Amino acid sequence: MTTVDIRVPATSANLGPGFDALGLALSLHDDVEATLTGERGVHVSVEGEGAGEVDTGEGHLVVRAMRAAFARMGVPQPEGIRLRCHNRIPHARGLGSSSAAVCAGILAARALAGAEFSDDAVFALATEMEGHPDNVAPCLAGGLTVAWSDHSELPRMVKLAPDQRIRPVVVVPSARLSTEAARGLLPKDVPHKDASFNAGRAALLIAALTQRPERELLLAATEDRLHQPYRAPAMRQSADLVERLRAVGVPAVVSGAGPTVLAFSTSDTQDLIAPEVGNDWHIQQMDVDPFGANVQFPETR
């Protein structure tokens, strides 16, 4: 039997104005132990988030990503796969749980196959499976990422190092919201003035996160007109919490497609967050994960 251990981080995409482009890796991780057993069948055990809910056979997202990677590499599909998943990333909350599963599966397949499969190829396949690169990029690379597609439609990314004073706080509700449902609320066209507004705010956000993480700059830099206003009706509690936090000076946004709220805690705002949050939310202060996905072979089995 051959086994590999994969650790993948949660991620927050968009960060307000950086719709489908910006992403941040967070210090909350899923762990996957993947084994080629040499026996027929797929067996998946899940602890933590998703236990008792997700498919434990061929339909499991990590298994599907492994199968896709084996096929893309031209490697014969293994008959037997065993996964042990310890999940900490909440599902359907806007923290990149599906991106984490996809990246874990592709990286596991590459490691177990021992085949040539570049980091760019991993990124491309993960983006293809996930649909957008904004969560995939920070999951793979860590830190703060800017993702886009070039003229050949291949995804590209740049990794940046956020200022060490950046302290993300995630506020997770009990309710869920699928990315597909949230994306379905977006209009096909937006006013030119709103697009221009977001372009300026996204540029300012890069400067604030990497060089000047001051409350005033972060508050201005996290304003958005492209997606959060349109999605608000589907997550009224999240939208209201963002408004309350911003009203007291806390830079807050909807994480990804929501409904989790992401706030940037600074020295003069850290005591302002909890009083605005009710009992139906789970508050967790995090660090930025600077490394992204990690792959290791156990020394002994």
Side-chain angles (χ1 to χ4, degrees):
M1 293 191 297
T2 306
T3 297
V4 65
D5 293 332
I6 312 292
R7 168 164 278 203
V8 283
T11 52
S12 182
N14 300 327
L15 308 181
F19 182 65
D20 279 357
L22 299 184
L24 192 68
L26 304 172
S27 59
L28 180 68
H29 302 87
D30 283 353
D31 290 306
V32 177
E33 178 190 86
T35 302
L36 301 185
T37 64
E39 302 174 358
R40 289 183 179 275
V42 171
H43 304 280
V44 181
S45 63
V46 179
E47 297 180 5
E49 297 288 339
E53 300 178 359
V54 299
D55 193 303
T56 55
E58 288 284 354
H60 193 276
L61 186 52
V62 175
V63 176
R64 285 156 45 200
M66 291 179 71
R67 296 293 194 196
F70 286 130
R72 187 65 56 90
M73 291 185 289
V75 174
Q77 294 287 343
E79 293 187 347
I81 296 175
R82 183 181 70 217
L83 296 182
R84 292 176 178 167
C85 305
H86 186 179
N87 297 339
R88 303 176 186 86
I89 306 172
H91 289 193
R93 300 299 205 290
L95 289 171
S97 61
S98 61
S99 291
V102 166
C103 292
I106 296 172
L107 291 172
R110 179 174 73 170
L112 291 168
E116 290 294 327
F117 201 54
S118 69
D119 290 346
D120 286 343
V122 169
F123 182 36
L125 178 57
T127 299
E128 181 181 322
M129 292 192 67
E130 181 63 12
H132 298 89
D134 47 351
N135 282 109
V136 170
C139 184
L140 292 172
L144 171 67
T145 57
V146 184
W148 74 99
S149 296
D150 64 17
H151 295 297
S152 64
E153 297 302 315
L154 289 174
R156 304 286 301 277
M157 76 164 102
V158 169
K159 175 182 176 180
L160 302 172
D163 190 288
Q164 294 183 355
R165 291 169 288 178
I166 292 294
R167 298 301 303 276
V169 176
V170 295
V171 189
V172 185
S174 56
R176 299 182 178 186
L177 179 67
S178 73
T179 300
E180 291 77 12
R183 190 167 286 275
L185 297 172
L186 300 178
K188 293 182 178 180
D189 300 296
V190 297
H192 184 277
K193 64 179 182 179
D194 289 346
S196 175
F197 178 94
N198 267 54
R201 291 306 193 273
L204 179 60
L205 183 57
I206 294 295
L209 290 177
T210 59
Q211 300 176 35
R212 292 179 57 185
E214 303 158 12
R215 178 172 65 165
E216 292 76 11
L217 281 184
L218 285 169
L219 199 58
T222 48
E223 291 182 293
D224 162 66
R225 293 182 181 176
L226 288 189
H227 64 103
Q228 291 179 155
Y230 300 104
R231 289 170 165 170
M235 48 180 131
R236 193 68 263 170
Q237 286 185 312
S238 299
D240 289 345
L241 178 57
V242 169
E243 290 180 8
R244 292 199 305 274
L245 289 171
R246 297 187 67 85
V248 297
V250 177
V253 298
V254 173
S255 179
T260 291
V261 171
L262 174 76
F264 291 108
S265 175
T266 59
S267 59
D268 53 353
T269 63
Q270 58 189 6
D271 295 330
L272 300 176
I273 297 174
E276 301 298 329
V277 179
N279 295 328
D280 293 335
W281 303 77
H282 174 67
I283 305 176
Q284 190 169 354
Q285 183 150 6
M286 299 187 181
D287 294 316
V288 176
D289 180 330
F291 304 113
N294 179 265
V295 180
Q296 290 188 347
F297 285 96
E299 294 181 359
T300 59
R301 281 286 162 191

